[in-house]
Amino acid sequence: GRSRARQACCAAPSPTVGSPTATGGEGVKQTRIAVLGASGYTGEEVVRLLALHPSFSVTVLTGETQAGKEFHEVFPHLVTATDVPRLVKTGDVNWDDVDAAFCCLPHATTQEILASLPSHIKVVDLSADFRLRNVDTYAEWYGGAHKAPELQKEAVYGLTELNRDAIAGARLVANPGCYPTSVQLPLVPLLEQGLILKEDIVIDAKSGVSGAGRSVKQAFLYTEIAEGMNAYGVSRHRHMPEIEQGLTDAVGSEVRVSFTPHLMPFSRGMESDCYVKLADGKTADDLRDALAKKYEGETFVKVLPKGQIPHTRHVRGSNYALIGVFEDRIPGRAILICVIDNLVKGASGQALQNMNLINGLPEETGLLQQAMFP
């Protein structure tokens, strides 16, 4: 089934991005796509990925501070993405020209906008606004009351490999955060199968600077970042409740983790090292075998052979996740390493996976780019 899906993804020639009259390989009508917040990194990455998509046509790009500009004026490297529309303000969008939207706006700005959209528009939201089911938890961690609690009830959490069936029938998908994606892919299946304990999970994670967004901030200047690394959000990073929500669902009882992220001096890439306690009688080999079976046949999640260490450079620019499993030198413990590109599988690539699903397309469509190396 998946091999046929991959063939279907590649069979059709890619239309020009933004051309509303372009059709797929079999003359299928194009789905008209809006990218809200297209002047940021995740919005740009959506547009880049859609350049290879046979069935989606970009008809609207929004960017409040960049409205009126051509897209290549904001992102010169995409001057070859022809026929992309000019950026406009969200208030000037004609929603009759839109079938589906990627929402790449900052948290707290998304709720009211999505609540006001016509009901026919399918949405994948890349902000944090609809990831947490409990709106009180959202208010605690994001510093303000949720402004669309009824819409929150409709949202489906979009970690594709773990929630595929529910995503396929959704109108609003809450795309996962980058860190939660890299943590839940290795841990959720093992917790569900009782192969590791829910207690004393320690997560040491690292991200490239693009994870902080495109806004100019002193902490992210070259001289502040280069030739060093630093922890941030220690014990209070906003992805913690999202991680714990997913792990709690896997076990059926509350899970609390120790999670410390670090900022690294490279543009893109993410690694999460998860230190876990083994269930009685289980070994690191058992964990590797279970993950290999879980993700057998999956296009984008690969469990590496014993002894092979995942590298962030081996997923750069791609939608792939690589997982390695290692025995700890402390008896009864194991180490799981997961690497992703924080802008692709950690954001825009997974969003495209989900948009494909909710539009009835093979989820790999437009996403089979291999990693860029060196």
Side-chain angles (χ1 to χ4, degrees):
R2 292 209 169 272
S3 62
R4 289 193 295 272
R6 286 193 287 272
Q7 292 168 4
C9 297
C10 300
S14 298
T16 303
V17 173
S19 170
T21 59
T23 57
E26 299 179 2
V28 177
K29 181 181 177 182
Q30 293 285 284
T31 298
R32 299 168 299 174
I33 298 291
V35 182
L36 311 183
S39 59
Y41 288 140
T42 58
E44 169 275 325
E45 200 74 349
V46 168
V47 176
R48 181 181 75 86
L49 294 170
L50 289 178
L52 293 177
H53 203 290
S55 302
F56 291 162
S57 175
V58 179
T59 55
V60 172
L61 297 174
T62 75
E64 303 305 300
T65 62
Q66 305 284 2
K69 292 184 178 181
E70 296 286 357
F71 193 62
H72 66 78
E73 293 181 76
V74 182
F75 290 105
H77 71 293
L78 290 180
V79 66
T80 50
T82 56
D83 290 342
V84 171
R86 285 178 178 268
L87 291 153
V88 299
K89 293 189 175 184
T90 304
D92 295 332
V93 174
N94 179 2
W95 295 108
D96 291 335
D97 295 334
V98 176
D99 301 310
F102 292 91
C103 189
C104 305
L105 299 169
H107 74 269
T109 62
T110 298
Q111 299 153 26
E112 292 177 304
I113 290 175
L114 295 191
S116 69
L117 294 185
S119 60
H120 76 274
I121 296 176
K122 298 177 180 180
V123 177
V124 177
D125 177 34
L126 283 77
S127 82
D129 280 5
F130 294 95
R131 296 173 188 161
L132 301 178
R133 291 192 301 269
N134 188 319
V135 293
D136 293 332
T137 303
Y138 174 88
E140 176 188 349
W141 286 85
Y142 287 88
H146 201 287
K147 298 175 182 177
E150 291 304 312
L151 193 58
Q152 172 62 60
K153 296 176 184 177
E154 181 185 344
V156 173
Y157 189 67
L159 214 172
T160 318
E161 286 77 12
L162 301 181
N163 205 24
R164 183 174 283 121
D165 292 343
I167 294 166
R171 185 184 77 88
L172 169 59
V173 175
N175 212 59
C178 46
Y179 286 124
T181 294
S182 63
V183 169
Q184 291 180 89
L185 284 173
L187 293 189
V188 164
L190 302 180
L191 286 168
E192 287 179 336
Q193 297 178 46
L195 298 176
I196 61 174
L197 304 185
K198 69 174 187 174
E199 293 81 19
D200 297 330
I201 296 174
V202 178
I203 303 158
D204 178 78
K206 292 96 174 171
S207 175
V209 185
S210 59
R214 207 184 189 200
S215 299
V216 178
K217 301 174 185 176
Q218 178 179 321
F220 307 128
L221 296 174
Y222 177 82
T223 49
E224 305 285 335
I225 294 295
E227 302 178 27
M229 60 173 283
N230 61 275
Y232 69 102
V234 178
S235 79
R236 289 297 300 173
H237 192 280
R238 286 169 167 169
H239 282 177
M240 291 182 74
E242 183 183 345
I243 291 170
E244 291 176 346
Q245 175 180 269
L247 302 187
T248 294
D249 289 346
V251 177
S253 58
E254 185 180 24
V255 176
R256 302 291 293 274
V257 300
S258 294
F259 170 73
T260 304
H262 300 78
L263 192 62
M264 304 298 290
F266 48 76
S267 296
R268 58 165 81 208
M270 174 166 287
E271 175 175 322
S272 288
D273 303 332
C274 305
Y275 301 84
V276 300
K277 280 185 174 180
L278 297 165
D280 287 345
K282 302 302 179 183
T283 67
D285 289 340
D286 294 326
L287 306 191
R288 187 182 307 101
D289 291 344
L291 289 172
K293 184 175 181 180
K294 169 68 178 178
Y295 294 118
E296 183 180 8
E298 289 287 352
T299 300
F300 296 118
V301 181
K302 302 298 179 184
V303 180
L304 300 182
K306 184 174 183 177
Q308 188 169 332
I309 300 174
H311 293 201
T312 59
R313 64 178 65 90
H314 294 163
V315 294
R316 180 180 173 86
S318 79
N319 198 51
Y320 294 94
L322 304 181
I323 299 173
V325 183
F326 302 87
E327 183 180 2
D328 199 333
R329 63 186 295 269
I330 300 175
R333 296 191 67 91
I335 304 166
L336 299 116
I337 301 174
C338 181
V339 297
I340 61 173
D341 185 316
N342 58 292
L343 290 178
V344 189
K345 184 58 175 171
S348 305
Q350 185 152 235
L352 182 51
Q353 257 188 286
N354 291 326
M355 186 65 82
N356 284 332
L357 277 174
I358 63 178
N359 282 282
L361 297 171
E363 68 191 62
E364 300 93 342
T365 307
L367 282 170
L368 292 177
Q369 304 93 329
Q370 298 301 298
M372 298 182 292
F373 179 85

